[in-house]
Amino acid sequence: MGALPQPIPNLPGWRRLALADVGSTNTEALRLAAGGDPGNLWVTADRQLQGKGRNGRTWISEAGNLYASLLLIDPATRTALANLPLVAALAVYETLKPYFAKTPYALAIKWPNDILVDRQKINGILLESAGLSDGHLAVVIGCGINCVHHPDNPLYPATDLAACGVSVDPVTLFDQLSDAFAKHLSLWNRGAGFHIIRERWLMAAGGIGRQVTVNNGDFSITGMFEEIDHDGYLCLKLDDGSRQKISAGDLFFDREEK
Ligand code: BTN
């Protein structure tokens, strides 16, 4: 018989399925949802053989980094779900922040949910969802944190905790990550507490007030990053003075940022 989910100590109502090798913890969590899992379940793995990144990219997943996916069932209305990426980013940011307090590095959230250390990416978050046969919605928040490895990617320069002089193993980091998610999901309160998340997210964000470019498959748009509005949209002020709200894409800083 395969491994079974176990209760997470000190987090009543939350469970964890800890695996050694898996294709993708996100895919595994969605598979469990389709089989009737009630959610509030973390799926973790030592290594992923088919780790998934955003926009169809591969997430290289050697042993030593953290790979964890949180399965939620019907976590909020469809409208409120749009700001779940910001909740996830803040939870990961708060998990990492204490480790950087005594380092020379600046930690910042890059919209929507990357954490940058001196402009180098140290994590990835991939949200996926699937309608279930009983009408419910399964949402998976997949988090990868670079503990000892990072990919060599000129488009998205990356780093890892060890390269920043921070020593923490994925087991310890998972305990802190699961605590942070429980806390921030509770603050978010199925969307009713988004104003609290928004305020904290804005405090942690890099690039506000600066020129940025956002690319998604359909467009590339450059403007001044004004804020995240109360619905969670990125607000850009364009050169002609008009404003544009954006829900998804990859953000690039046009100049040096924190
Ligand atoms: C990104 O491209 O920035 C998102 C990467 C997300 C990677 C994590 S690792 C755990 C989970 N399982 C996956 O297959 N992907 C996510």
Side-chain angles (χ1 to χ4, degrees):
M1 197 169 72
L4 290 173
Q6 302 296 327
I8 298 183
N10 305 323
L11 282 181
W14 297 84
R15 294 164 302 131
R16 174 189 188 178
L17 176 63
L19 303 170
D21 285 359
V22 73
S24 153
T25 52
N26 268 28
T27 304
E28 188 60 20
L30 287 171
R31 194 184 66 74
L32 290 164
D37 191 278
N40 285 15
L41 171 74
W42 281 98
V43 179
T44 63
D46 297 341
R47 194 167 67 129
Q48 299 186 117
L49 306 175
Q50 289 169 317
K52 298 187 285 187
R54 289 171 55 199
N55 301 326
R57 294 187 281 259
T58 297
W59 188 256
I60 299 167
S61 303
E62 300 167 65
N65 287 349
L66 175 63
Y67 310 107
S69 297
L70 175 59
L71 170 66
L72 302 170
I73 305 290
D74 295 334
T77 61
R78 300 244 170 199
T79 313
L81 277 179
N83 45 58
L84 193 51
L86 307 184
V87 182
L90 193 60
V92 176
Y93 174 84
E94 293 293 343
T95 302
L96 295 178
K97 195 169 71 169
Y99 290 106
F100 286 89
K102 290 193 177 128
T103 72
Y105 300 106
L107 201 62
I109 301 177
K110 180 172 84 73
W111 181 84
N113 52 23
D114 284 343
I115 312 301
L116 301 186
V117 176
D118 282 0
R119 296 189 304 120
Q120 295 182 309
K121 182 172 156 97
I122 200 157
N123 80 311
I125 296 177
L126 177 67
L127 279 96
E128 295 187 278
S129 63
L132 301 174
S133 56
D134 58 6
H136 293 289
L137 182 73
V139 176
V140 172
I141 307 171
C143 304
I145 299 181
N146 300 339
C147 297
V148 291
H149 309 286
H150 67 265
D152 197 10
N153 183 338
L155 188 59
Y156 302 98
T159 189
D160 60 69
L161 290 163
C164 299
V166 172
S167 171
V168 55
D169 60 274
V171 176
T172 307
L173 203 54
F174 172 74
D175 288 345
Q176 293 154 348
L177 184 76
S178 52
D179 278 352
F181 264 89
K183 177 181 156 195
H184 287 87
L185 286 169
S186 163
L187 279 175
W188 181 54
N189 189 17
R190 302 172 67 85
F194 178 59
H195 56 287
I196 306 169
I197 298 293
R198 175 180 170 272
E199 249 172 50
R200 296 184 187 189
W201 191 99
L202 287 169
M203 297 277 289
I208 294 183
R210 304 294 182 87
Q211 196 81 353
V212 299
T213 296
V214 180
N215 295 339
N216 80 8
D218 303 322
F219 63 78
S220 173
I221 185 162
T222 296
M224 198 260 280
F225 180 2
E226 283 196 314
E227 63 154 352
I228 297 295
D229 74 8
H230 290 271
D231 296 319
Y233 287 97
L234 170 81
C235 302
L236 287 188
K237 185 176 179 190
L238 310 192
D239 281 349
D240 64 6
S242 65
R243 289 187 163 77
Q244 187 84 37
K245 290 185 178 192
I246 302 170
S247 62
D250 278 339
L251 182 144
F252 295 86
F253 298 129
D254 284 11
R255 291 192 299 271
E256 296 280 302
E257 300 293 336
K258 94 168 171 173

